[in-house]
Amino acid sequence: MKEIGPSTKLIVEEAQRRGINALSFYPANPNFVCLETSGHHEYIYYSYNNRLGKVTASIFLNKIMTTTLLRRGGFTVPEEIFTDSEEEIIDFLKKHKRIVIKPADLLWGKGITVGISQPEQVVPALAYAREFNSRQNKIICQEHIDGYEYRVLVIDQKHIFTARRIPAHVVGDGTKTVGQLVEAWNDLVSDDRKLKQTDLADRLLEEQGAGWDAVPGAGRLVYLSNVANAHAGGTVVDATDEIGDEVKAGALAVAKHFDTSVVGIDCITSDIRKKMGCIIELNSTPDITLHHNPTKGKPRDVAGAIVDMLFPETVGK
């Protein structure tokens, strides 16, 4: 199939391996695929499937609605405001000392600025978020949560996959410049995970007292993004075997609370072995390549779990 997304491709390939036919609606939308076997039809769109209701998917796209419903369900979420007022954001910053500003309804980590600690950082962060707001001027401002960021993926309210996500960075070796380290990294990864020179990367380098021509010492981490997203060059480390029983129970509770067949739970925690920590977002079309192709750790067969759910009669094939 032509121009098919990587998550869609993984599911289609697993379905075809089991003898399930796949019809792509190319060129209208190559990622919308009908899977069929023996009169049994199912539809997928990236990792989204027809078992996931439209209302639930719409909730997950609306970040303020998602955190509101999570809070009402007893789950831990950051304190936040939904506003278009610079003054309100600065007052919120005074209260929490460090904050995050992000669009209300966009995916893939775009438009997000984390770790804001000074009032002069608010205006550019607000403008950046508004670049990616699809329908409104208001943005979300959340308290900054310290800890490690994880994606906990639940399939069919029973299969759990976990990955730690680390913002884009390079590790110094004492001889190469930051630019050379980036080139070396990009030679090893797929196009969708390459590190890029951006305005944000320039600013972060300056804040770290570095630059593209600087030579970081051996072992020094130099960050090029403050968003832990693989499509922004982030590192993905499988952590499926690390999560404890409390985290597993919490992840299943989230999936059951929204009665969803697929949900990617983004959380920040100090120790994924003991607690889920704070849930910052939910995703109805999570990128399953994070788990199939982690930067480090064991690959996980998420596509297989999805096809098992959609076509239980093919389990074991």
Side-chain angles (χ1 to χ4, degrees), residues 58-64 82 102-108 110 129-140 281:
S58 297
I59 289 171
F60 292 172
L61 282 173
N62 187 313
K63 297 176 183 178
I64 198 74
F82 183 47
K102 60 185 181 181
D105 54 6
L106 202 72
L107 305 174
W108 305 300
K110 295 180 179 179
R130 284 173 174 162
E131 285 182 33
F132 297 96
N133 248 12
S134 62
R135 296 184 299 273
Q136 53 198 344
N137 203 39
K138 289 185 177 182
I139 55 85
I140 295 174
E281 285 186 16

Side-chain angles (χ1 to χ4, degrees), residues 16 27 64 81-82 84 95 136 138-140 152 158 169 176 190 256 261 283:
Q16 290 177 325
I64 198 74
I81 56 174
F82 183 47
D84 59 0
K95 178 181 179 181
Q136 53 198 344
K138 289 185 177 182
I139 55 85
I140 295 174
V152 182
K158 58 185 177 183
H169 65 280
K176 296 185 183 69
S190 58
K256 291 175 181 177
S261 60
N283 299 272

Side-chain angles (χ1 to χ4, degrees), residues 3-310:
E3 299 180 17
I4 192 170
S7 289
T8 313
K9 183 179 180 181
L10 286 168
I11 299 170
V12 167
E13 288 178 345
E14 174 60 20
Q16 290 177 325
R17 188 191 66 78
R18 301 186 191 192
I20 299 169
N21 297 316
L23 172 64
S24 173
F25 290 83
Y26 177 87
N29 194 330
N31 286 292
F32 185 83
V33 179
C34 174
L35 302 176
E36 186 275 333
T37 182
S38 302
H40 178 182
H41 296 79
E42 300 284 351
Y43 299 92
I44 61 169
Y45 179 66
Y46 295 99
S47 57
Y48 183 98
N49 65 83
N50 51 279
R51 304 290 181 88
L52 179 65
K54 180 65 175 178
V55 173
T56 300
S58 297
I59 289 171
F60 292 172
L61 282 173
N62 187 313
K63 297 176 183 178
I64 198 74
M65 187 183 298
T66 298
T67 51
T68 298
L69 292 175
L70 283 167
R71 188 179 293 109
R72 291 185 64 182
F75 301 98
T76 302
V77 296
E79 185 175 342
E80 63 189 359
I81 56 174
F82 183 47
T83 182
D84 59 0
S85 168
E86 179 185 336
E87 291 74 17
E88 284 187 40
I89 295 173
I90 291 176
D91 287 342
F92 192 78
L93 173 60
K94 290 177 181 177
K95 178 181 179 181
H96 292 286
K97 310 305 180 186
R98 296 175 73 200
I99 61 174
V100 177
I101 291 177
K102 60 185 181 181
D105 54 6
L106 202 72
L107 305 174
W108 305 300
K110 295 180 179 179
I112 300 176
T113 305
V114 305
I116 297 168
S117 60
Q118 302 297 324
E120 57 266 27
Q121 295 175 286
V122 169
V123 172
L126 189 56
Y128 181 47
R130 284 173 174 162
E131 285 182 33
F132 297 96
N133 248 12
S134 62
R135 296 184 299 273
Q136 53 198 344
N137 203 39
K138 289 185 177 182
I139 55 85
I140 295 174
C141 182
Q142 293 178 334
E143 63 174 314
H144 180 93
I145 305 297
D146 289 321
Y148 305 106
E149 183 169 334
Y150 288 84
R151 162 66 57 80
V152 182
L153 174 62
V154 183
I155 306 295
D156 199 19
Q157 298 185 17
K158 58 185 177 183
H159 302 291
I160 302 173
F161 307 90
T162 307
R164 181 181 170 193
R165 306 197 305 173
I166 305 170
H169 65 280
V170 292
V171 181
D173 63 3
T175 60
K176 296 185 183 69
T177 67
V178 170
Q180 290 170 334
L181 290 168
V182 166
E183 289 179 4
W185 173 262
N186 285 346
D187 286 341
L188 301 174
V189 298
S190 58
D191 288 343
D192 64 330
R193 295 192 183 179
K194 291 186 184 297
L195 300 173
K196 301 177 180 64
Q197 183 170 353
T198 63
D199 291 341
L200 174 61
D202 291 341
R203 178 171 65 79
L204 289 175
L205 286 173
E206 183 178 355
E207 291 175 359
Q208 295 169 90
W212 296 99
D213 294 326
V215 179
R220 179 188 172 188
L221 270 66
V222 179
Y223 287 94
L224 302 173
S225 176
N226 52 19
V227 178
N229 190 289
H231 297 296
T235 299
V236 180
V237 182
D238 176 67
T240 300
D241 293 333
E242 296 179 23
I243 60 173
D245 291 340
E246 182 178 327
V247 178
K248 292 177 183 178
L252 293 175
V254 170
K256 291 175 181 177
H257 182 68
F258 291 96
D259 194 21
T260 179
S261 60
V262 175
V263 59
I265 306 166
D266 291 341
C267 62
I268 297 178
T269 179
S270 58
D271 190 346
I272 197 68
R273 296 169 299 178
K274 298 178 180 179
K275 58 184 179 180
M276 183 176 291
C278 194
I279 300 174
I280 54 175
E281 285 186 16
L282 299 179
N283 299 272
S284 61
T285 53
D287 178 5
I288 68 173
T289 66
L290 303 184
H291 308 279
H292 278 261
N293 304 303
T295 314
K296 299 177 182 178
K298 182 179 178 180
R300 304 291 176 170
D301 186 17
V302 177
I306 292 174
V307 178
D308 283 351
M309 173 184 65
L310 298 176

